[in-house]
Amino acid sequence: MKLRCAVLDDYQSAAATAADWSPVADAIDVVSFADHCASEDELALRLAEFDIVVTLRERVPFPATLIARLPRLRLIVASGMRNTSIDYAAAERHGITVCGTASTATPPVELTWALLLGLARGIVTEANSLREGGPWQSTVGADLHGRRLGILGLGKIGSRVAQVGRAFGMDVVAWSQNLTPERAEEAGAGYAASKEELLSTSDFVSVHLVLSERTRGLLGAKELGLMRPGAYLVNTSRAAIVDQDALLDVLRRGAIAGAGVDVFDVEPLPAGHPMRSAPRLLATPHLGYVSGANYAAYYGDAVEDIRAYLEGAPVRTLG
């Protein structure tokens, strides 16, 4: 009898075509779900008859309470090699193997610049106006050349964002808790002595930190209050790094020029959520890693993970 494999939150129904599933077709039946389960009860019911689950990034949490309700589950494949939404200890207790996949930093870098440029040049406002017969030019773009780009987090993604900033002729500075002047120089960025200095002197601020207890709520009302009235904030990292209520407040008051956000406290955003209608906000539905190449890597490696598990030699194990 074949094992059953659930592919969760496959919003674009892309899993079937992003990779070749034929190597495991004789052993598993794959069922793809294009909708999101809003509660643990709903998810537990959906997954009750599945042996394998493939989940993208951290879209779906797997806490101990959910894992305990899935006695048939034997393998979780999560895209990427870092996932904070899975209780690995609980998975181990229940005999569940957890595997990851390859991932690339390129798509979130590109989306960061799509948001930043969209904000700076009023792309959405002007494009909508053109299509709807509105005024011919209603905004004055913010220049990038000669302006300061402050990057919070100069890792794999942040350092690439810095490279693009330099190509635009921007003055790039960076800060994080562990960043040194030497490391900043290696990445081609100036060193900000504190986050307060970075926030108060930058025209554009981009967040590229890993979510941890040290970074959760790192940018609250006090920190956002340091930003210049003409400054822009971009967050394609993790929602919890920026206090959402504080961000909504500064946007509504016009205390900053605007924000570009790809991550939210609750995903998918419920209908009527204030982030759907906030002024001065350019928001996208967590598209940072959603690209053809990344999906090919995610699902291609998922097939490899499943095949290796079935052969008794799991690869890319997490935990």
Side-chain angles (χ1 to χ4, degrees):
M1 182 179 294
K2 288 185 178 182
L3 300 179
R4 300 194 73 209
C5 173
V7 179
L8 296 180
D9 287 31
D10 183 16
Y11 299 138
Q12 305 93 345
S13 298
T17 56
D20 177 11
W21 291 80
S22 63
V24 295
D26 291 340
I28 67 171
D29 285 325
V30 179
V31 180
S32 177
F33 296 96
D35 61 328
H36 177 75
C37 288
S39 70
E40 183 178 303
D41 287 344
E42 186 181 353
L43 189 60
L45 182 63
R46 170 168 289 182
L47 298 179
E49 301 302 320
F50 285 93
D51 310 277
I52 301 168
V53 170
V54 177
T55 181
L56 280 184
R57 305 302 296 145
E58 294 163 331
R59 289 180 181 177
V60 180
F62 278 84
T65 51
L66 174 62
I67 289 172
R69 300 170 70 178
L70 302 173
R72 184 166 165 172
L73 186 59
R74 287 293 171 261
L75 174 66
I76 299 173
V77 178
S79 59
M81 293 301 292
R82 179 190 293 122
N83 192 305
T84 60
S85 68
I86 298 172
D87 189 323
Y88 296 106
E92 184 177 4
R93 287 197 304 272
H94 289 271
I96 299 170
T97 300
V98 183
C99 297
T101 74
S103 182
T104 172
T106 302
V109 172
E110 293 173 351
L111 184 71
T112 295
W113 281 100
L115 289 172
L116 195 151
L117 287 166
L119 285 167
R121 299 305 300 268
I123 297 298
V124 175
T125 298
E126 296 290 2
N128 287 343
S129 181
L130 185 147
R131 293 175 64 89
E132 296 165 4
W136 184 263
Q137 298 183 6
S138 61
T139 64
V140 177
D143 296 285
L144 303 188
H145 186 86
R147 299 294 183 90
R148 170 163 285 193
L149 170 63
I151 299 176
L152 292 168
L154 202 59
K156 186 184 298 184
I157 296 174
S159 60
R160 295 188 187 185
V161 170
Q163 291 175 358
V164 179
R166 292 199 311 276
F168 276 114
M170 302 184 78
D171 171 29
V172 181
V173 297
W175 176 88
S176 72
Q177 288 98 331
N178 296 325
L179 186 65
T180 64
E182 294 75 20
R183 171 69 187 99
E185 184 178 3
E186 288 174 6
Y191 175 73
S194 66
K195 70 175 183 288
E196 290 80 10
E197 177 187 324
L198 182 143
L199 292 167
S200 62
T201 63
S202 296
D203 301 291
F204 298 87
V205 175
S206 194
V207 181
H208 302 288
L209 294 162
V210 174
L211 179 61
S212 68
E213 289 310 308
R214 291 198 305 170
T215 61
R216 186 179 297 274
L218 186 73
L219 300 187
K222 177 182 177 182
E223 289 77 18
L224 295 176
L226 296 173
M227 294 181 65
R228 298 172 174 179
Y232 297 87
L233 174 71
V234 175
N235 185 12
T236 57
S237 183
R238 290 291 182 268
I241 295 172
V242 181
D243 184 289
Q244 188 168 267
D245 291 336
L247 177 59
L248 284 168
D249 178 62
V250 295
L251 290 172
R252 288 165 177 159
R253 291 189 292 106
I256 63 174
V261 174
D262 187 50
V263 288
F264 307 91
D265 289 347
V266 179
E267 296 184 8
L269 275 180
H273 192 283
M275 291 293 279
R276 287 184 177 269
S277 57
R280 304 176 183 85
L281 177 67
L282 176 56
T284 48
H286 207 155
L287 299 178
Y289 55 86
V290 180
S291 77
N294 240 12
Y295 270 28
Y298 290 166
Y299 291 119
D301 280 5
V303 173
E304 289 184 10
D305 289 348
I306 294 169
R307 184 175 185 178
Y309 173 80
L310 295 175
E311 293 173 349
V315 294
R316 291 184 285 266
T317 56
L318 304 177

